Amino acid sequence: MRGALILPALLVILPAPAFAQTALPPAPYANRQLDDPALEAKATELMHTIRCLTCQSQSIADSDASMAADLRSIIRERIAAGEDPEAIRAWLIERYGDWISYKPTADPILWPLWAAPLMLLGAGGVLAYGRMRRRKGAKA
């Protein structure tokens, strides 16, 4: 009975990183560049436009998270295989959602979101013009 209580207590006391480490080896191209500079430039350009799913505020090119390393490796492998960067982006968006890309889409459902700042700016201009007209009329 005492042993049944000690095991859960040890699991709580032991530091979490002891359990969080992965036994998987790092991805082959996670931190290694492609041999062809032109292909590496394409990969790097794409990596700077893909958001890290773990960090959420960094691109996968800047992140040290293991998920970002895996995505960097996938991108480099696919570009080395001759795949177009936009096709890779489309695959990542299909797999992880629109949020993964820093490059905004122009889907019709998002048009109101893009138009809202312009509409608010226009409404502010109309209000300012009306106040100025009213102020001129009061002085006369």
Side-chain angles (χ1 to χ4, degrees), residues 17 32 73-74 79 81 138:
R32 191 180 74 162
S73 182
I74 289 170
I79 285 186

mmCIF file of all heavy atoms in Angstrom, residues 17 32 73-74 79 81 138:
data_model
loop_
_atom_site.group_PDB
_atom_site.id
_atom_site.type_symbol
_atom_site.label_atom_id
_atom_site.label_comp_id
_atom_site.label_asym_id
_atom_site.label_seq_id
_atom_site.Cartn_x
_atom_site.Cartn_y
_atom_site.Cartn_z
ATOM 1 N N PRO A 17 10.789 18.244 -17.208
ATOM 2 C CA PRO A 17 11.603 17.968 -18.393
ATOM 3 C C PRO A 17 12.113 16.526 -18.465
ATOM 4 O O PRO A 17 12.410 16.037 -19.527
ATOM 5 C CB PRO A 17 12.773 18.941 -18.266
ATOM 6 C CG PRO A 17 12.211 20.078 -17.485
ATOM 7 C CD PRO A 17 11.247 19.437 -16.518
ATOM 8 N N ARG A 32 20.522 21.859 -40.589
ATOM 9 C CA ARG A 32 21.544 21.724 -41.624
ATOM 10 C C ARG A 32 20.986 22.274 -42.932
ATOM 11 O O ARG A 32 19.865 21.946 -43.325
ATOM 12 C CB ARG A 32 21.905 20.241 -41.789
ATOM 13 C CG ARG A 32 23.135 20.030 -42.648
ATOM 14 C CD ARG A 32 23.408 18.566 -42.767
ATOM 15 N NE ARG A 32 22.389 18.023 -43.690
ATOM 16 C CZ ARG A 32 22.506 16.875 -44.296
ATOM 17 N NH1 ARG A 32 23.530 16.105 -44.063
ATOM 18 N NH2 ARG A 32 21.583 16.455 -45.122
ATOM 19 N N SER A 73 12.859 20.884 -41.565
ATOM 20 C CA SER A 73 13.368 19.699 -42.258
ATOM 21 C C SER A 73 12.428 19.271 -43.389
ATOM 22 O O SER A 73 12.872 18.958 -44.493
ATOM 23 C CB SER A 73 13.554 18.551 -41.265
ATOM 24 O OG SER A 73 14.092 17.432 -41.912
ATOM 25 N N ILE A 74 11.129 19.290 -43.110
ATOM 26 C CA ILE A 74 10.144 18.912 -44.139
ATOM 27 C C ILE A 74 10.237 19.850 -45.325
ATOM 28 O O ILE A 74 10.237 19.423 -46.487
ATOM 29 C CB ILE A 74 8.720 18.900 -43.543
ATOM 30 C CG1 ILE A 74 8.553 17.720 -42.593
ATOM 31 C CG2 ILE A 74 7.672 18.868 -44.638
ATOM 32 C CD1 ILE A 74 7.278 17.764 -41.776
ATOM 33 N N ILE A 79 11.700 20.855 -50.911
ATOM 34 C CA ILE A 79 12.314 21.745 -51.911
ATOM 35 C C ILE A 79 13.453 21.021 -52.611
ATOM 36 O O ILE A 79 13.629 21.160 -53.823
ATOM 37 C CB ILE A 79 12.765 23.066 -51.258
ATOM 38 C CG1 ILE A 79 11.517 23.901 -51.001
ATOM 39 C CG2 ILE A 79 13.777 23.807 -52.119
ATOM 40 C CD1 ILE A 79 11.729 25.275 -50.502
ATOM 41 N N ALA A 81 13.497 17.961 -53.243
ATOM 42 C CA ALA A 81 12.837 17.017 -54.155
ATOM 43 C C ALA A 81 12.234 17.720 -55.369
ATOM 44 O O ALA A 81 11.692 17.057 -56.263
ATOM 45 C CB ALA A 81 11.757 16.245 -53.405
ATOM 46 N N ALA A 138 -21.128 77.963 -36.658
ATOM 47 C CA ALA A 138 -21.355 78.598 -35.356
ATOM 48 C C ALA A 138 -20.582 79.926 -35.263
ATOM 49 O O ALA A 138 -21.028 80.858 -34.573
ATOM 50 C CB ALA A 138 -20.927 77.673 -34.238
#
